Amino acid sequence: MNDSEDPNDEVQYHLEVGPEDLADAVLLPGNPERVDKVTALWDDHEEKAYHREYRTATGNYDGTPISVTSTGIGSPSAAIAVEELARVGADTFIRVGSCGAIQPEMDVGDLVITSGAVRQEGTSKEYVREDYPAVADHEVVSALVAAAERLGYDYHVGLTMSADSFYAGQGRPGFEGFRAAGSDSLVEELREANVKNIEMEAAALLTIANVYGLRAGAVCSVYANRVTGEFRTEGESRAAETASLAVHLLAKMDAVKRDAGVDRWHAGLSLD
């Protein structure tokens, strides 16, 4: 293997980052252009790398070190990001994205905090058997809920479905009206099963993080409601701010755990 492709090199092949470039916690938007919208909320930041779809910056939010790396679209590229970020020391990951809601009471601009995910994508199946659950870390979920509450943002907590395609895999018509098998009933079946939203990365992120013993979660802004037909690109900065504050709260949780001599944060421990 060429040294430049060695996954054990400090500077990673795809992301072009090393251990000195990152904080322990990394936000994961899809679009590289979202990095600017995320870092605009921080105290300070410095761009560390930009290669392919992967753009990385590191700074501080309310005094807490924090990083952001864009992953591009879909689980394969998100998995590469998690693999390489973990190799250089990151241990906490929060996806910051957009999604389609599939429950009628959810409004465009609301946030969806993922507690677990339906693994309709294929990347996670290359890591572990299909009946292995994609579950968000409870500390990350708690921090995201606390952040949304403190910021006063409307949010929902529940299950996310992650697909591998934007069109056929999410029940949308393809080119010239093509309909994939089962697509006509997909959204309704998921809605009846109390799934909250559809996107393309959370299931792989959560699965891989659990396999490796890392912390991960996801918060997405609702851009469309697939039941009501409403669509607007709204709430992007709310998801980024909620995730950034969650990283700050997780740092406080970690400090409380150290002081209490426990391994996991729980509701009996205060953050104040």
Side-chain angles (χ1 to χ4, degrees):
M1 176 183 290
N2 186 296
D3 287 343
S4 66
E5 298 181 31
D6 185 348
N8 297 308
D9 279 355
E10 281 199 351
V11 177
Q12 296 300 296
Y13 177 58
H14 297 90
L15 273 62
E16 295 188 346
V17 295
E20 71 284 354
D21 296 321
L22 291 175
D24 293 338
V26 186
L27 305 189
L28 301 174
N31 188 345
E33 294 179 1
R34 279 196 189 139
V35 170
D36 289 331
K37 297 178 181 179
V38 172
T39 57
L41 302 165
W42 297 355
D43 308 334
D44 54 67
H45 72 278
E46 180 182 352
E47 184 167 302
K48 297 296 185 178
Y50 195 167
H51 184 227
R52 302 186 184 186
E53 62 264 56
Y54 303 110
R55 184 182 182 192
T56 298
T58 294
N60 291 277
Y61 177 86
D62 199 10
T64 299
I66 188 171
S67 293
V68 56
T69 295
S70 57
T71 65
I73 296 175
S75 291
S77 59
I80 289 172
V82 173
E83 285 277 4
E84 296 191 1
L85 291 167
R87 282 173 165 82
V88 293
D91 60 20
T92 300
F93 304 91
I94 302 179
R95 164 157 160 71
V96 180
S98 59
C99 67
I102 57 174
Q103 297 296 332
E105 71 276 9
M106 300 170 70
D107 294 326
V108 169
D110 286 359
L111 301 177
V112 182
I113 297 169
T114 297
S115 58
V118 180
R119 294 170 54 198
Q120 190 164 307
E121 43 70 47
T123 301
S124 65
K125 297 178 180 65
E126 298 188 352
Y127 282 81
V128 68
R129 52 191 288 168
E130 292 185 23
D131 54 1
Y132 185 94
V135 182
D137 181 88
H138 85 89
E139 292 181 350
V140 176
V141 173
S142 296
L144 287 167
V145 169
E149 288 280 353
R150 292 189 182 193
L151 294 167
Y153 295 149
D154 292 331
Y155 67 93
H156 310 265
V157 180
L159 298 177
T160 292
M161 188 275 269
S162 298
D164 260 347
S165 67
F166 183 80
Y167 294 100
Q170 298 188 33
R172 296 183 175 95
F175 176 61
E176 294 186 341
F178 169 80
R179 303 293 306 203
S183 63
D184 290 342
S185 60
L186 175 66
V187 171
E188 181 62 19
E189 289 175 1
L190 291 168
R191 187 190 68 77
E192 290 181 354
N194 201 29
V195 174
K196 302 297 184 186
N197 63 323
I198 299 174
E199 51 80 82
M200 297 180 67
E201 292 86 15
L205 167 63
L206 301 182
T207 301
I208 295 167
N210 276 300
V211 167
Y212 291 158
L214 305 169
R215 290 194 299 197
V219 56
C220 289
S221 303
V222 173
Y223 274 13
N225 188 304
R226 299 289 301 279
V227 178
T228 66
E230 186 181 12
F231 173 80
R232 293 192 309 277
T233 55
E234 184 176 316
E236 187 175 57
S237 63
R238 293 175 203 161
E241 187 176 12
T242 300
S244 297
L245 178 53
V247 167
H248 175 68
L249 295 177
L250 283 165
K252 295 180 73 173
M253 287 180 182
D254 291 342
V256 169
K257 288 187 296 184
R258 286 193 296 271
D259 291 343
V262 298
D263 294 329
R264 299 294 290 175
W265 186 87
H266 56 82
L269 298 173
S270 173
L271 290 181
D272 298 320

